[in-house]
Amino acid sequence: MKNIRNFCIIAHIDHGKSTLADRLLEYTKTIDQRDMHAQVLDSMDLEQERGITIKSHAIQMVYNSGGQDYTLNLIDTPGHVDFSYEVSRSIAACEGALLIIDATQGIQAQTISNLYLALEHDLEIIPVLNKMDLPNAMPEIVEDQIIDLIGCKRTDIIRASGKTGEGVTEILERIIHVIPPPEGDPEAPLQALIFDSVFNSFRGVIAYFKVVNGEIRKGDRVKFVNTRKEYVADEVGVLKLNMIERDVLKTGDVGYIISGIKTAREVKVGDTITHVARPCDKAISGFEEVKPMVFAGVYPIDSEDYEELRASMEKLQLNDASLTYEPESSAALGFGFRCGFLGLLHMEIIQERLDREFDMNVITTVPNVSYKVHTTKGETIDVYNPSGLPAATLIDQIDEPYIRANIITQSDYIGVIMRLCLDKRGILIKQDYLTTDRVELVFDMPLGEIVFDFYDKLKSISRGYASFDYHILDFRPAKLVRLDILLNGEMVDALSTLIHFDNAYNFGRRMCEKLKELIPRQQFDIAIQAAIGAKIIARETIKAVRKDVTAKCYGGDITRKRKLLEKQKKGKKRMKQVGNVEVPQNAFLAVLKLD
């Protein structure tokens, strides 16, 4: 056990975590040169294409130092704020963390929030200054920032480069000497923490775990504490680039278990595995439940695919524990699911994965957040969907969730960022100069305002320099109204939104104009209206496609033409009564990008 080290890599987006992980794998000869490619741990096509890490990836390395072999279990984590739950799970399975900071950009918002997560779990932090090979690196300035942040000595900071391999040996040596070996009792009853799982269509559910106490052998009868299900461990092993079978995993090891579990519901991330014959007293604590921030409806395009979508969601939730979903139905779209996501990027990735991995074509409705509605009867109800809002006469007040947002930016962009945050109903709490040209702004903002396009706008006005991180604060009263969209007098419930009263008129008008562009013309006029309750606040009309019925009249009396036109008029009236308007999928998505 004293030769095992479990550690993870934490950093802001794009500070070079995955590239540095590649070098560590190369130096420890974990991967053959022929299998090596850039970002080798990012196994998903989506991760390779976008150049971001979406899932945490665990891999075992063996490194020889001073004539002894050490087992290093590395977990590479995502940097994006939408995948912070992945980071918190990885941290729960480690004793130390490499804090990677880009020498050209310095400390950013996500660096700080991931660092606090690691410190809460008492992890040993090793600061690494990455990208030292770049000509615009500013090591002295960034080292000062690191010393201010964690209070370490200048000699503790390792200068490295994921591209050239500089400093990698020093990192490996530091991991062995600084990060403590796992603590645990090899003789105690088995306790193993599940920190991730995947679904394999041939082997069933594969759970990844860390052994905290005791040991697990192939063929043992094991029990999952929370779900109370019992299984036989058909296979246990460690995670290299592929899974490698072992007969026994001891205290401190990180590995996987295959026990022929067919249904995804039976494995919960954060659950504890123990023996049936000699169970542990209690489950391992210290695992927080995920709190979704953004809710949206996901519906199959063909209503017959509903059951298939349910099965796909189950398998996807197994691999991505931060996704939550429950069934719901809509008048416009039929049966589907109300899903909870950690952010807009998370929602986009889930939609993409449903399409690629499960071949599911889905429609996603306008995302919104959860509100607390106080009724006149004194009840409080949680509303995730505008259609679940009680009648206006029954509402006493609506509370909306607020977040505490930390934005770190260069001082040139303070003005535009402040204007953006104040337009989104933000309240400035404080502003701190970290260095002469870097400033931290702290705002309290309604979560509903940042759901749509806040992050994209922040990046564009700051030319990509501003970094953003947030956590949920509390619920505060707000003047919110439900904005409905009507097509020919019929309400399209999937386009309804809960919006602040001051923004409703503007938003309703822009929405009508956008839908006018996107909905194809029919043989009859279509009225698009935005309404608050019974009051219409905006209207656009899509003109009918006109067929010239009088073209075949080449002369004769005017009454012949009049007769044909009257006949056409009756036909259009009848068509308008029975005709229904299909809203194309891109109309739902366009609402998100209204600006």
Side-chain angles (χ1 to χ4, degrees):
M1 229 172 90
K2 67 179 191 299
N3 286 6
I4 296 176
R5 300 287 183 274
N6 297 324
F7 68 99
C8 60
I9 300 186
I10 54 178
H12 190 78
I13 315 153
D14 226 12
H15 280 205
K17 294 178 295 296
S18 301
T19 315
L20 202 64
D22 290 353
R23 293 297 83 75
L24 292 171
L25 298 177
E26 243 175 43
Y27 273 65
T28 53
K29 299 185 175 52
T30 305
I31 293 177
D32 287 338
Q33 209 56 47
R34 62 166 185 245
D35 293 333
M36 197 66 207
H37 58 83
Q39 273 100 27
V40 68
L41 290 180
D42 292 348
S43 48
M44 242 186 279
D45 295 346
L46 259 175
E47 292 180 314
Q48 291 282 343
E49 279 169 30
R50 289 173 177 241
I52 56 175
T53 305
I54 294 168
K55 289 286 302 161
S56 295
H57 300 277
I59 191 161
Q60 190 178 86
M61 309 179 282
V62 176
Y63 180 66
N64 189 296
S65 171
Q68 279 200 327
D69 276 349
Y70 288 87
T71 302
L72 309 179
N73 290 311
L74 152 73
I75 304 179
D76 179 23
T77 65
H80 200 285
V81 62
D82 280 18
F83 306 112
S84 54
Y85 188 61
E86 288 285 328
V87 183
S88 73
R89 299 204 322 245
S90 309
I91 285 173
C94 294
E95 281 83 38
L98 291 183
L99 180 72
I100 311 284
I101 293 144
D102 186 336
T104 62
Q105 294 188 26
I107 286 172
Q108 299 198 298
Q110 202 57 34
T111 319
I112 296 174
S113 82
N114 286 343
L115 173 69
Y116 287 157
L117 268 178
L119 290 173
E120 273 171 28
H121 285 79
D122 291 335
L123 263 59
E124 195 62 52
I125 307 289
I126 300 175
V128 177
L129 204 54
N130 196 17
K131 304 195 185 180
M132 283 300 297
D133 57 311
L134 293 179
N136 59 339
M138 32 183 202
E140 279 77 22
I141 298 171
V142 180
E143 278 179 358
D144 289 341
Q145 292 177 13
I146 299 171
I147 292 164
D148 282 351
L149 184 67
I150 27 183
C152 61
K153 298 190 196 78
R154 198 174 282 275
T155 50
D156 293 344
I157 302 167
I158 302 171
R159 294 187 177 190
S161 162
K163 193 175 277 182
T164 62
E166 173 195 340
V168 172
T169 335
E170 200 185 331
I171 292 172
L172 287 164
E173 288 296 330
R174 189 74 65 86
I175 287 166
I176 287 163
H177 297 305
V178 173
I179 294 176
E183 294 172 4
D185 181 358
E187 302 303 317
L190 170 69
Q191 263 187 323
L193 174 77
I194 299 177
F195 64 87
D196 205 356
S197 52
V198 290
F199 187 83
N200 182 309
S201 41
F202 302 106
R203 318 274 324 250
V205 178
I206 302 169
Y208 299 159
F209 62 87
K210 175 195 176 187
V211 184
V212 179
N213 291 316
E215 61 179 40
I216 182 168
R217 291 179 179 277
K218 184 178 174 176
D220 280 354
R221 275 194 71 77
V222 294
K223 177 170 87 173
F224 287 24
V225 177
N226 281 346
T227 54
R228 298 200 174 95
K229 298 271 196 231
E230 297 182 5
Y231 308 100
V232 172
D234 297 335
E235 184 183 311
V236 294
V238 295
L239 299 152
K240 294 270 175 118
L241 198 52
N242 300 316
M243 296 189 229
I244 293 172
E245 199 173 341
R246 293 270 193 273
D247 286 334
V248 60
L249 290 180
K250 302 193 169 172
T251 307
D253 280 335
V254 172
Y256 69 90
I257 177 170
I258 299 176
S259 47
I261 304 170
K262 292 288 180 285
T263 51
R265 269 194 228 98
E266 293 177 20
V267 177
K268 280 197 170 65
V269 167
D271 201 351
T272 304
I273 306 175
T274 187
H275 282 130
V276 172
R278 188 175 164 224
C280 58
D281 303 337
K282 60 180 193 304
I284 301 165
S285 61
F287 225 92
E288 54 192 81
E289 273 295 306
V290 56
K291 295 189 279 292
M293 307 283 183
V294 176
F295 295 87
V298 173
Y299 295 86
I301 283 178
D302 189 350
S303 54
E304 289 167 9
D305 296 339
Y306 175 71
E307 283 304 324
E308 210 173 310
L309 180 63
R310 181 196 290 273
S312 307
M313 283 283 198
E314 259 181 34
K315 288 172 190 167
L316 198 54
Q317 189 185 35
L318 188 68
N319 191 237
D320 184 348
S322 51
L323 168 69
T324 58
Y325 66 92
E326 54 188 48
E328 73 162 4
S329 63
S330 143
L333 300 169
F335 289 104
F337 296 96
R338 163 84 9 192
C339 299
F341 307 100
L342 294 183
L344 276 192
L345 177 72
H346 187 213
M347 176 173 130
E348 205 178 307
I349 295 289
I350 292 289
Q351 208 174 335
E352 191 89 4
R353 285 184 72 183
L354 279 171
D355 183 28
R356 291 186 187 205
E357 294 171 31
F358 304 100
D359 211 20
M360 292 298 309
N361 265 337
V362 294
I363 289 178
T364 312
T365 63
V366 182
N368 50 33
V369 297
S370 67
Y371 297 94
K372 288 195 185 305
V373 178
H374 301 283
T375 62
T376 46
K377 294 177 182 171
E379 298 168 336
T380 304
I381 47 177
D382 287 333
V383 173
Y384 303 107
N385 190 343
S387 56
L389 200 67
T393 50
L394 300 173
I395 296 173
D396 183 26
Q397 77 172 45
I398 302 177
D399 293 350
E400 63 176 342
Y402 264 69
I403 58 158
R404 173 67 51 90
N406 293 60
I407 299 167
I408 295 180
T409 177
Q410 291 192 336
S411 46
D412 310 355
Y413 305 113
I414 291 182
V416 281
I417 289 174
M418 277 196 173
R419 192 174 314 125
L420 171 70
C421 294
L422 295 170
D423 285 349
K424 298 276 185 189
R425 298 191 285 130
I427 304 158
L428 180 64
I429 302 299
K430 67 172 180 181
Q431 135 182 9
D432 280 340
Y433 276 86
L434 303 171
T435 61
T436 48
D437 66 337
R438 285 171 65 76
V439 65
E440 180 184 20
L441 299 170
V442 180
F443 277 92
D444 281 359
M445 297 172 72
L447 180 61
E449 292 284 345
I450 67 157
V451 162
F452 287 134
D453 52 3
F454 178 78
Y455 194 65
D456 298 345
K457 277 188 178 170
L458 180 70
K459 282 290 179 203
S460 61
I461 62 176
S462 67
R463 305 209 178 119
Y465 278 110
S467 58
F468 169 69
D469 181 49
Y470 64 89
H471 58 267
I472 286 286
L473 209 57
D474 52 13
F475 280 81
R476 300 180 188 178
K479 194 177 178 187
L480 297 170
V481 289
R482 186 171 101 189
L483 182 71
D484 293 322
I485 296 293
L486 312 173
L487 288 182
N488 274 348
E490 293 284 318
M491 191 177 108
V492 184
D493 59 353
L495 287 174
S496 296
T497 49
L498 269 175
I499 192 163
H500 195 266
F501 183 77
D502 298 345
N503 305 341
Y505 283 82
N506 198 359
F507 188 74
R509 195 180 69 249
R510 295 210 317 267
M511 210 149 153
C512 289
E513 286 165 5
K514 195 76 181 172
L515 287 172
K516 185 181 178 180
E517 293 167 27
L518 293 166
I519 294 174
R521 290 170 75 185
Q522 307 286 339
Q523 298 260 323
F524 52 91
D525 284 0
I526 303 168
I528 303 170
Q529 294 165 312
I532 296 173
K535 187 179 179 185
I536 305 293
I537 58 169
R539 172 185 170 129
E540 293 285 337
T541 308
I542 300 175
K543 285 292 174 198
V545 181
R546 186 165 181 274
K547 181 180 166 194
D548 192 358
V549 284
T550 59
K552 58 179 184 275
C553 297
Y554 48 87
D557 197 74
I558 185 72
T559 52
R560 290 182 62 200
K561 288 186 182 176
R562 176 79 66 241
K563 188 173 155 193
L564 283 170
L565 288 167
E566 286 298 323
K567 190 175 172 188
Q568 184 190 30
K569 198 170 162 187
K570 279 183 186 153
K572 293 249 166 148
K573 195 175 171 186
R574 199 162 54 241
M575 199 186 287
K576 193 168 181 175
Q577 286 168 351
V578 297
N580 63 349
V581 185
E582 286 291 314
V583 183
Q585 160 72 7
N586 58 358
F588 293 109
L589 298 175
V591 173
L592 312 186
K593 301 186 174 70
L594 265 181
D595 284 350

